[in-house]
Amino acid sequence: MFDCSEVPSPCYVMEEKLLRRNLSLIKSVADSAGVEIILAFKAFAMWKSFPIFREYIKYTTASSEYEARLAYEEFGSRAHSYSPAYTEDNIESFLKYSSHVTFNSMSQFNRFYSYVEKSDYDISCGVRINPEYSEVEVELYNPCAPGTRFGVTADMLPDDLPKGIEGFHCHCHCESSSYELERTLAHIEEKFSKWLPCIKWLNLGGGHLMTRNDYDVNHLIKLLKGIKERYPNLHIILEPGSAFTWQTGPLVSSVVDIVENKGIRTAILDVSFTCHMPDCLEMPYQPVVRGAEALPDEVVKNASFEDNIYRLGGNSCLSGDYMGSWRFEHELYVGERIVFEDMIHYTMVKTNMFNGIHHPSIAILHLNGELEVFKKFGYEDYRDRMS
């Protein structure tokens, strides 16, 4: 554990040792099961760390033109791309930077496959399928919720797939277990089995949190081997995001003021939940704070000052930019570091500059103990985004 007092505040700090631990496990799963596991940029895209990733994996997945270009230029390989809707303005860029292109609907495939046929690039095309099954409880993250805009259901596919469709892409997990995948595979095979022998690849999407301590990795490997045995024609692809950078580093912040209202004490920080940790408010979930005990929200309303119970408030003008409550071991003071654990995945990629709030710096703690700050943000970054 590094000395937080020597880290600029605020700052995201990835720990290389923890990253390599995750990468080693992911590579062992891919090798043991004979599948391809690739990095989803929607969860993590800190490109200065890509040289480490390239020691373990070869490819990435993109959901936008810019992510596909990042894969090509900074990861050194063309992306597995999926977009809810391609346009005439961006399809050529997608084709330039992608090895695989997945279409969200048959109308998108029919509209843009001619671009693929005329392209000078070797591209394998697929469609996203909707198995009409997901165990994701929060609807915000459930791509198979009724009325979803994602994917083609089995009743919408023709008996004979059109020329050019070589793969299926299915994504319906979120920080899920291998047992949820097992039940999902049952639905995929029930609804799409007649087409599976006719395609070359099956992309099972993301949300496979195989680096979580309680994840049954052996069960996952067994499942993947099983589907390969049933359909030896299929190249199986998984594209998790969180699993790669799960518990690989914190967001370090500082207390800048402490205020009290109606008996509730709030420690105001130099970070913002809405700007820097939006999933905490959207999901919502209460993150782990180093050295503090998370308590039910209502506890803060009845706490005495001797209990050292605080809300944590963000430094924006949004009224709801706060969370809590937490019990600390001592009374907080201005300048004290507050460390939010596990803030590398789905945080940096979702930051915004609402209110012109200062972005946290981005750093990596190398194996030799050296802290390398990749990026510090300033006024010019805000100005350029607003121009």
Side-chain angles (χ1 to χ4, degrees):
M1 189 175 296
F2 58 91
D3 184 354
C4 293
S5 66
E6 297 184 0
V7 176
S9 181
C11 186
Y12 296 105
V13 183
M14 168 179 274
E15 299 185 50
E16 182 180 347
K17 178 180 178 180
L18 302 179
L19 173 63
R20 287 186 180 275
R21 176 200 62 191
N22 286 354
L23 288 167
S24 295
L25 185 146
I26 289 169
K27 186 177 187 305
S28 71
V29 171
D31 291 345
S32 298
V35 302
E36 186 96 56
I37 304 181
I38 62 181
L39 170 66
F41 281 171
K42 65 182 177 181
F44 179 80
M46 191 173 81
W47 57 269
K48 287 191 176 180
S49 67
F50 288 172
I52 299 174
F53 280 79
R54 287 198 297 266
E55 295 178 31
Y56 300 85
I57 64 171
K58 296 180 180 179
Y59 302 104
T60 60
T61 180
S63 300
S64 67
E65 174 186 353
Y66 293 163
E67 285 186 345
R69 182 174 177 178
L70 189 70
Y72 183 81
E73 294 186 352
E74 302 299 340
F75 207 89
S77 59
R78 294 163 70 202
H80 292 236
S81 293
Y82 160 78
S83 174
Y86 302 97
T87 69
E88 281 83 359
D89 292 333
N90 65 28
I91 186 64
E92 297 286 3
S93 290
F94 270 108
L95 299 181
K96 177 180 179 180
Y97 301 127
S98 305
S99 61
H100 294 65
V101 171
T102 295
F103 294 93
N104 185 58
S105 65
M106 293 306 298
S107 59
Q108 278 269 298
F109 172 79
N110 292 332
R111 181 178 174 186
F112 289 110
Y113 182 63
S114 61
Y115 286 78
V116 179
E117 290 184 301
K118 293 182 291 185
S119 171
D120 294 330
Y121 306 103
D122 183 17
I123 297 165
S124 181
C125 292
V127 292
R128 179 166 177 165
I129 58 172
N130 176 4
E132 302 176 79
Y133 176 83
S134 175
E135 298 183 29
V136 178
E137 295 180 356
V138 179
E139 188 160 324
L140 181 68
Y141 298 100
N142 183 357
C144 295
T148 181
R149 70 189 194 280
F150 294 134
V152 179
T153 53
D155 61 300
M156 298 175 69
L157 281 176
D159 289 338
D160 295 319
L161 292 176
K163 172 193 172 185
I165 294 182
E166 298 183 340
F168 284 167
H169 175 212
C170 177
H171 174 67
C172 53
H173 296 100
C174 178
E175 297 185 358
S176 302
S177 73
S178 61
Y179 296 93
E180 288 165 82
L181 174 60
E182 182 175 33
R183 293 186 286 271
T184 300
L185 284 173
H187 282 77
I188 292 174
E189 292 190 69
E190 175 189 351
K191 294 178 179 294
F192 296 94
S193 60
K194 70 179 180 181
W195 294 287
L196 293 180
C198 307
I199 57 176
K200 295 180 179 180
W201 51 266
L202 174 64
N203 186 326
L204 294 171
H208 313 283
L209 195 47
M210 62 190 76
T211 51
R212 187 175 57 200
N213 285 338
D214 63 348
Y215 193 98
D216 193 336
V217 172
N218 291 329
H219 182 244
L220 172 64
I221 294 171
K222 180 181 177 181
L223 288 177
L224 297 174
K225 284 183 174 180
I227 195 166
K228 284 175 61 66
E229 290 172 1
R230 293 191 296 278
Y231 303 97
N233 56 298
L234 289 179
H235 178 58
I236 305 297
I237 305 162
L238 284 77
E239 48 178 44
S242 295
F244 279 95
T245 51
W246 181 257
Q247 295 184 340
T248 56
L251 172 59
V252 177
S253 67
S254 298
V255 177
V256 293
D257 195 14
I258 297 173
V259 299
E260 183 270 332
N261 185 283
K262 302 295 184 182
I264 297 174
R265 283 196 295 183
T266 299
I268 300 179
L269 310 177
D270 59 355
V271 293
S272 162
F273 289 99
T274 190
C275 294
H276 308 135
M277 297 172 278
D279 275 353
C280 294
L281 301 180
E282 293 173 0
M283 188 76 171
Y285 78 96
Q286 189 164 328
V288 174
V289 173
R290 187 174 298 178
E293 177 189 2
L295 303 170
D297 285 350
E298 62 270 13
V299 172
V300 72
K301 299 176 183 178
N302 302 308
S304 66
F305 285 1
E306 291 76 19
D307 292 331
N308 297 322
I309 294 176
Y310 298 82
R311 277 180 178 169
L312 297 180
N315 201 14
S316 80
C317 70
L318 178 69
S319 298
D321 190 4
Y322 70 86
M323 290 204 77
S325 51
W326 284 269
R327 178 186 286 116
F328 290 82
E329 297 175 349
H330 56 270
E331 188 173 354
L332 297 182
Y333 58 88
V334 172
E336 182 166 359
R337 295 300 173 92
I338 302 295
V339 180
F340 293 93
E341 304 285 12
D342 195 23
M343 282 292 161
I344 301 300
H345 58 92
Y346 281 106
T347 46
M348 287 184 283
V349 294
K350 297 185 77 169
T351 57
N352 62 76
M353 287 189 167
F354 169 67
N355 258 180
I357 298 297
H358 194 291
H359 260 16
S361 300
I362 298 173
I364 186 168
L365 182 68
H366 289 295
L367 296 176
N368 63 4
E370 175 192 356
L371 183 76
E372 181 181 3
V373 179
F374 285 153
K375 175 74 174 180
K376 287 186 177 180
F377 295 88
Y379 165 71
E380 291 76 14
D381 297 291
Y382 170 70
R383 183 197 61 194
D384 291 346
R385 289 187 66 174
M386 299 300 109
S387 61

